[in-house]
Amino acid sequence: MFGFKLNYKLFYQYMDPYIVVLLVPIIIIGLTVYSYFIQLLREEVIRGNLNLLAQVKDTIDVKMNEFGNIAYHIASNPNLTPYAATKSAYSEMNAIFELRNYLLL
């Protein structure tokens, strides 16, 4: 029975250097691959956020152009001048109906 313990001790004594020799490269390769994939993931997230920001910028630019066009059309509509819109109750109602044409959906 005492001999088996000695054999196990001897087995572990010879196995330890092999485990260290195998684990060190595996750990180094694992850490290298991990850092590479973390960097790759970070770049992909940044790229996705930049694309999303570009889409939002384009959407806002289109809406601002629509607002400019609406402002131009309202300013050039003779039924919506301050004098024409407040001349009578009928002209006020007409101005309200004219403004409904410019609603954004």
Side-chain angles (χ1 to χ4, degrees):
M1 180 167 216
F2 190 72
F4 285 123
K5 287 185 181 181
L6 185 62
N7 287 338
Y8 283 123
K9 284 183 181 180
L10 187 62
F11 175 74
Y12 289 129
Q13 184 180 2
Y14 284 122
M15 191 56 119
D16 285 343
Y18 291 108
I19 290 175
V20 170
V21 166
L22 289 174
L23 283 181
V24 169
I26 289 173
I27 290 172
I28 291 172
I29 290 171
L31 289 176
T32 305
V33 169
Y34 175 77
S35 65
Y36 171 75
F37 281 120
I38 290 297
Q39 182 65 28
L40 192 67
L41 181 64
R42 183 177 293 130
E43 290 172 1
E44 187 66 30
V45 167
I46 290 171
R47 190 178 310 120
N49 286 340
L50 288 176
N51 287 337
L52 185 62
L53 284 173
Q55 285 178 341
V56 169
K57 177 191 168 290
D58 292 340
T59 303
I60 290 174
D61 286 344
V62 167
K63 289 295 182 184
M64 292 302 288
N65 285 337
E66 287 179 14
F67 290 145
N69 289 337
I70 289 172
Y72 173 76
H73 287 293
I74 289 173
S76 64
N77 191 338
N79 294 331
L80 296 175
T81 60
Y83 174 72
T86 59
K87 195 170 19 172
S88 66
Y90 175 73
S91 64
E92 288 176 7
M93 290 300 292
N94 191 22
I96 291 172
F97 287 123
E98 285 287 327
L99 286 175
R100 286 187 183 161
N101 293 331
Y102 299 108
L103 285 178
L104 290 178
L105 300 176

